[in-house]
Amino acid sequence: MLTLKLRIWSIWSIAAGLLLAAVLFASSGCQNQIRDDGFHIPEPIDFDLDSIVKRGKLVLITENSATTYYQYRGSNRGFDYEMVRAFAKHIGVKLELRILDDVNQMFTLLNTGEGDLIASNLAILPERKEYAAFSDPLYSTSQILVQRMPGQDSVAMASFIKDSTQLDRKPIWVHRYSSFYQNLKQIEQKTGKSLDIREAPGKMSTEDLVRLTDQGQLEATITDENLSAILRADYPALDMSLPVTGPQEIGWAMRSNATGLIAAVNAWLKEEKTEKLLKRTYRKYFGNEQESLSYRGTFSLPNISGSQISVYDSLFRLYAPEIGWDWKMLAALVYQESRFNPHARSWSGAFGLMQMMPETAVRFGSDTSDVEEGNIRAGVKYIRYLDRMWRDRVPNKDERVKFVLASYNIGPGHVLDAQVIARSLGKADTLWEQNVGDCLLLKTQAEYYMMDGVKHGYCRAQEPFHFVRKILAVYDYYKTLAIP
């Protein structure tokens, strides 16, 4: 049934794309570049670096995804976002975002002047150079086949693809205008084999296709190697080991006539401090696979010896009443956040016993030098703020603490979005288990994080979902201890 729906959706998407192309062509006369696939890219407007600086802002076109841009604990994150933000600061302008989920539309808005630069994990392809200019490469990544592990099933084992000469064994779902599709077509031409390339609906992200493959609704898809490093922890039943291309260069796209901007970007990328920033940011987002496993792997309860949970028990007893919590619940939160290590620091910059983000810590009266009592005090103030925010929305105190915990981990905006999704699906928006918690997990899917009323976009929702469960499990264990 899903396959039939996807095929119908694909036909509709192609028809809609052709209709849009016709409208664009009619409205702009001969000023369009016409690609072989029928899509029209407007000629670039004249708006270069001097105009950008005079205006005071650089408009970044990107997408919502784990590798490009997303919101985490109330802050903007993402490899592409952080690198472009650094460049905007370098030229002395503010950064503005345009979030899209359609690559073709990105290039259209770039050339019409509604954006100045596309940074969205774009492979530098000859076809794309026909209607945009690219920066020097930021990094290279291969494309990886995604398929389910065969296990002991003889049918699955027979269709399992072990090397690139076997790509004709099963249908492979990719977006029509992606570099994945173009590379598969090139493989067809080189090998003479006819591959079963299926067109995925444009509204589905690459991560959506990976998820559907994990669920067995699709046979296979393609993703970039750097994204696969992030997703392996979420999908242990998937095989993401087979490269289908060699390394491909990834760069930023700009208008072909924006020669000043192109030169400024390339000069900045060659600076020694930028090269160090690039390596550090790449490791931050694509080199932390083991850390991403921490919320998914086998969970063991903490070992307790003697008559205390930690050396900070007296501080937990002192500050927990300010939020109406049992001090052991506060201890469970700190255990999950830092394992009672005041010097813990996460990939995102969270620090101290309660893993406060620096900007949040300052807001609630602390700073990065304050990793013990001051960190606990600021964390408790933040929890009190979150509890007050949720009080009218979730009146039941036992339920509300789950919303507070999830908000503490990922930021309240994503949890508010999960309430919106819950209401749209007819679920209870004041209950966590099997309701709002499950709807938070849906925020990895473009269908839901792009829906009306959902304001904070993509979320790596597995982390807060498991965060809540683990803290409650630790708290239940702490309650059984004979520690007053």
Side-chain angles (χ1 to χ4, degrees), residues 347-402:
W347 68 272
S348 64
F351 71 98
L353 288 170
M354 297 193 69
Q355 290 294 279
M356 299 287 288
M357 295 296 289
E359 53 269 39
T360 307
V362 169
R363 179 181 174 188
F364 291 96
S366 184
D367 59 42
T368 54
S369 67
D370 214 355
V371 296
E372 295 184 324
E373 182 172 1
N375 197 263
I376 293 173
R377 183 170 55 246
V380 165
K381 287 181 180 179
Y382 182 43
I383 291 170
R384 185 167 62 218
Y385 163 81
L386 292 172
D387 186 75
R388 288 173 177 170
M389 190 205 83
W390 285 107
R391 192 166 297 167
D392 291 338
R393 296 178 174 89
V394 185
N396 182 278
K397 182 179 179 181
D398 291 337
E399 284 298 318
R400 187 166 66 248
V401 71
K402 301 168 189 176

Side-chain angles (χ1 to χ4, degrees), residues 34-234:
I34 305 174
R35 294 181 356 187
D36 291 341
D37 52 36
F39 195 88
H40 298 70
I41 302 293
E43 290 289 335
I45 68 161
D46 185 14
F47 198 84
D48 204 348
L49 178 64
D50 54 346
S51 300
I52 292 170
V53 172
K54 183 177 180 180
R55 183 181 60 188
K57 67 179 179 182
L58 177 74
V59 182
L60 164 64
I61 301 173
T62 189
E63 65 178 324
N64 236 176
S65 78
T67 62
T68 54
Y69 162 79
Y70 59 95
Q71 290 188 354
Y72 179 78
R73 293 194 170 194
S75 300
N76 294 335
R77 291 286 185 267
F79 173 84
D80 287 304
Y81 168 79
E82 290 202 21
M83 289 302 301
V84 179
R85 181 184 61 181
F87 173 71
K89 183 178 179 180
H90 170 73
I91 61 174
V93 299
K94 295 180 180 179
L95 182 63
E96 183 177 297
L97 298 175
R98 287 294 304 269
I99 307 301
L100 300 172
D101 62 352
D102 185 292
V103 174
N104 287 329
Q105 191 179 7
M106 287 182 181
F107 284 103
T108 296
L109 295 188
L110 176 70
N111 279 358
T112 58
E114 295 180 65
D116 303 307
L117 183 151
I118 304 173
S120 193
N121 198 37
L122 288 179
I124 302 174
L125 302 176
E127 298 87 346
R128 289 173 174 168
K129 288 183 178 181
E130 295 177 6
Y131 44 87
F134 279 83
S135 68
D136 293 339
L138 278 77
Y139 61 89
S140 298
T141 186
S142 300
Q143 295 182 1
I144 304 295
L145 182 73
V146 180
Q147 59 183 333
R148 285 184 62 82
M149 300 282 194
Q152 300 301 314
D153 183 276
S154 58
V155 175
M157 291 178 68
S159 63
F160 186 75
I161 298 172
K162 298 178 182 178
D163 63 64
S164 58
T165 66
Q166 301 172 341
L167 291 175
D168 58 344
R169 284 190 173 187
K170 62 178 66 173
I172 302 174
W173 293 83
V174 292
H175 292 117
R176 171 67 176 83
Y177 301 115
S178 68
S179 59
F180 305 143
Y181 179 91
Q182 294 174 22
N183 283 324
L184 289 174
K185 296 301 288 185
Q186 289 177 3
I187 290 172
E188 277 190 326
Q189 294 172 3
K190 290 178 181 178
T191 63
K193 288 188 174 182
S194 178
L195 305 185
D196 190 355
I197 307 172
R198 305 287 179 90
E199 182 183 346
K203 290 294 182 181
M204 284 189 172
S205 68
T206 299
E207 289 186 57
D208 286 336
L209 300 180
V210 172
R211 174 181 53 81
L212 292 172
T213 303
D214 179 68
Q215 295 173 354
Q217 298 185 53
L218 303 181
E219 296 85 351
T221 187
I222 305 287
T223 190
D224 288 309
E225 185 177 23
N226 55 356
L227 180 58
S228 74
I230 297 173
L231 297 180
R232 283 191 184 101
D234 294 341

Side-chain angles (χ1 to χ4, degrees), residues 409-423:
N409 176 261
I410 200 67
H414 288 301
V415 187
L416 287 167
D417 284 348
Q419 275 195 317
V420 173
I421 296 170
R423 288 192 290 270

